[in-house]
Amino acid sequence: MAGHANADLAEAFADEPAFVPYLAAGDPDYEASLEYVEALARGGADVIELGLPFSEPIAEGSTIQSAIVRSLEGGMTPDRFFEFVGDLDVDVPLVCMTYYNLIYQYGAESGPRPFVERAAAAGLSGFVVPDLPAEEAGPLREACDEFGLDLVFIVAPTTRGDRLDQIMSQVSGYVYVQARLGVTGAKDDVSGQTEESLERIAEYDVPKAVGFGIKTGDHAERIVGAGADGIIVGSVLVDIVGDGTERGDSTETIAERLESKARELKQGALRGYEQRVPQAEGK
Amino acid sequence: MTQKYADGKFGEYGGQYVPEVLMPAIEELTDAYERYVLENEDGFMDEFRARLRDFGGRPTPTQYAERLSERYDREVYLKREDLLHGGAHKLNNALGQVLLAKYMGKERIVAETGAGQHGTATAMAAAHLDMPCEIYMGERDINRQRPNVFRMRLNGSAVNPVTTGRGTLKEAISETMRDWATNVEDTHYVIGSIVGPHPFPAMVRDFQAVISEEARRQLDEQTGGLPDAVLACAGGGSNTMGTFANFVDDDGVELYAVEAGGSSLEVDEEEGVAPNSASLSTGEEGVLHGARTKVLQDSDGQIMESHSVSAGLDYAGVGPELARLVDDGRVQAVNVGDVSALEGFHRLSQLEGIIPALETAHAFGYLEEHSEELGETIVVNVSGRGDKDLETVIEETEKRDIENAPSMAEFSGGI
């Protein structure tokens, strides 16, 4: 990891496969969203990715786009987001997932430093920035190093060769393995590209978390069974929030559904791990 | 053919702010741009020029505008990009990129469109070069640019409505990027302006630079010299940069990028709405759609919803090269509002017998207001013709008190 390991993220992957759920902070409103994120922690989350909504989310499919619209309409802003992180009662590391313009614009001076400084003060552990490839990440990487935060990069099915080395020399915490081409969104199958992608990065010494399209405990089991150190799940959880909100279900009911879905996904990941462990012990 | 900024950085502007999944395709495109466009490998540029001539109808004339010249007591010349096949400058870029996609072995084209001019040009180029094509267009734009929707369909392209946000160009670009991220291995994204990640801003400028290459030569043939001022409307900035590219090094030629001032230059931060599209004049540095550039945004960095009576200028960002040229003082960023643009539309229609696109009409609005500051010889780029805008113009003219507009009351019932 080229000396970039900063915070406690990698540790969350140390003992068993990590379950990394995503929700957009403030979806559909501040108070309910606190409940939803805490429900994920109760359901077994090891790390939580919190979306700070940006108006032009070019890497998101329709599910997360809708969550972003709800959150923005609910009044979410970068400053409210940092308050939100402070108000959360969870004891797992939190990663901020957002787009570069919000990071770049924050604070009096332009550039990523004020945002990272504020994020560190709020207790965040790292960032995922879907529109920031390794080529443009220098200033953010520098600020993360200064304040002791991790910077997670996405490796796509199309990433190969020099690009892979360049990403792996900058990544810290965990690498986000994009399981399929396209944008975020729950799918009914496990992408055949997953195993190939995991193989391509097997030699790098950084936890590998697979995301894009994971929907069930069964998917989680197969992906961890294929060698992933963790699973990242967003859209299926966002759908629980979106559908429940639309139906007018109570915050409590929606939180229970999230907790139960989280448990299913975490258990699936653990089953996948058990399939691999005998092999590991046999070495 | 200019080769400036081949590294994709225009000072602090430009760059490649896109999801990792697209980066390998962008590297592949950069390589293709350098080989085929800059080096003319396999005679790419020769074929491009030949097709622009035979299919597109180039060169377009630079025409002396007698009555405007008389009105302003200046020599006014019109670069007639409205006479290019399809009725706008957009074909220069669309044909170049679809041809490049073929050279790259791509099998499918996607494109966004605002006013529908780029979508139309891409659909024509795709039919001409036998490539399957899908166009993303905001729902609001579909409603205000129906003739272009029909033209795209007639050329065999699929038109996919985009319903997110306000349903205009910004959302259409985001949605096309999502399609590209999903189908990146066999698909080329024909971006419609000098925006997006490198190499798009440089490549689109190079395809559009034929406008100023011709205009510079044609004006010299007619006047024996260079103009004092060159005017072009500016949304994303492709006709602007195409019209300026070969004049940038001519220090005596003033370059004016005329933006849409909309109904007001004020912004409503609470609602996230800027009732204009004047990102060069009023925007702040930010990152949008793959590039660092001047952007209409709120203090948090959320992108504002822009507005203009003309769909083609209705965009919250602008090409990074134009942002740089404005910061350098080489290009003057100016703007006129909806009313001035509508008056310009009617004026050009009546005085010169040319019905311009509403986008183009902004340049004529500025000419009317500032002709005395523009020197003796002025070139205005007529970026497109206005047939697509007739319904909008009649409706918007009736809503306002446009002094020089003819009455349409006796033909009630629409067109």
Side-chain angles (χ1 to χ4, degrees), chain B residues 61-64 75-79 212-230 247 253 377-380:
Chain B
T62 293
Q63 177 212 339
Y64 180 64
E75 306 290 293
V76 178
Y77 289 84
L78 308 177
K79 179 58 178 166
S212 50
E213 186 187 306
E214 287 174 4
R216 198 171 183 284
R217 186 185 67 235
Q218 291 162 331
L219 195 79
D220 186 56
E221 284 163 8
Q222 292 174 65
T223 70
L226 290 167
D228 297 305
V230 176
F247 291 111
V253 181
T377 309
I378 303 163
V379 173
V380 186

Side-chain angles (χ1 to χ4, degrees), chain B residues 45-343:
Chain B
M45 286 304 288
D46 302 328
E47 181 175 353
F48 171 55
R49 295 293 175 123
R51 287 183 187 275
L52 270 185
R53 182 190 65 221
D54 298 340
F55 178 65
R58 297 214 77 91
T60 62
T62 293
Q63 177 212 339
Y64 180 64
E66 288 173 46
R67 294 186 66 195
L68 284 181
S69 295
E70 194 179 314
R71 179 180 180 89
Y72 301 124
D73 195 20
R74 301 259 178 307
E75 306 290 293
V76 178
Y77 289 84
L78 308 177
K79 179 58 178 166
R80 296 291 308 277
E81 288 300 291
D82 59 314
L83 293 177
L84 185 65
H85 179 42
H89 71 290
K90 291 290 187 186
L91 184 71
N92 299 323
N93 169 48
L95 189 64
Q97 284 200 55
V98 176
L99 187 63
L100 188 64
K102 264 202 120 70
Y103 273 60
M104 292 169 71
K106 298 291 180 185
E107 292 166 2
R108 175 175 173 266
I109 294 297
V110 291
E112 89 293 343
T113 196
Q117 290 302 97
H118 173 58
T120 301
T122 305
M124 292 185 322
H128 174 63
L129 293 166
D130 190 22
M131 287 278 261
C133 177
E134 289 186 39
I135 309 288
Y136 289 87
M137 185 169 187
E139 202 164 45
R140 178 189 168 90
D141 286 340
I142 285 179
N143 289 331
R144 57 179 168 172
Q145 300 288 345
R146 298 190 66 75
N148 274 340
V149 177
F150 297 141
R151 293 207 289 169
M152 287 180 258
R153 293 289 294 129
L154 288 169
N155 282 135
S157 287
V159 180
N160 304 323
V162 179
T163 55
T164 49
R166 253 179 85 247
T168 62
L169 180 57
K170 173 166 77 73
E171 291 79 20
I173 292 178
S174 292
E175 199 57 27
T176 316
M177 284 192 165
R178 293 183 187 111
D179 180 308
W180 196 28
T182 309
N183 302 292
V184 63
E185 285 166 330
D186 68 351
T187 296
H188 175 66
Y189 175 11
V190 177
I191 206 163
S193 193
I194 55 163
V195 302
H198 177 68
F200 285 111
M203 181 173 72
V204 176
R205 171 206 62 207
D206 288 349
F207 287 141
Q208 291 292 0
V210 65
I211 300 173
S212 50
E213 186 187 306
E214 287 174 4
R216 198 171 183 284
R217 186 185 67 235
Q218 291 162 331
L219 195 79
D220 186 56
E221 284 163 8
Q222 292 174 65
T223 70
L226 290 167
D228 297 305
V230 176
L231 272 64
C233 65
S238 72
N239 99 83
T240 333
M241 212 47 237
T243 307
F244 293 172
N246 287 283
F247 291 111
V248 167
D249 291 336
D250 298 320
D251 291 337
V253 181
E254 288 288 337
L255 307 173
Y256 293 86
V258 186
E259 296 193 288
S263 55
S264 164
L265 288 182
E266 303 295 319
V267 298
D268 184 342
E269 177 114 355
E270 188 120 319
E271 289 295 315
V273 174
N276 61 73
S277 304
S279 40
L280 279 174
S281 310
T282 68
E284 300 282 344
E285 186 197 347
V287 175
L288 175 63
H289 290 144
R292 187 182 294 194
T293 184
K294 288 182 186 289
V295 176
L296 298 176
Q297 56 187 326
D298 70 13
S299 54
D300 286 335
Q302 303 290 3
I303 308 306
M304 295 261 193
E305 298 293 348
S306 56
H307 167 81
S308 168
V309 69
S310 101
L313 301 184
D314 198 345
Y315 182 55
V318 66
E321 184 169 14
L322 270 177
R324 170 66 190 271
L325 288 169
V326 166
D327 278 5
D328 287 349
R330 182 64 192 92
V331 168
Q332 310 301 317
V334 298
N335 60 82
V336 298
D338 291 341
V339 170
S340 178
L342 286 163
E343 287 170 354

Side-chain angles (χ1 to χ4, degrees), chain A residues 128-139:
Chain A
V128 186
V129 189
D131 65 342
L132 194 69
E135 282 82 350
E136 307 287 354

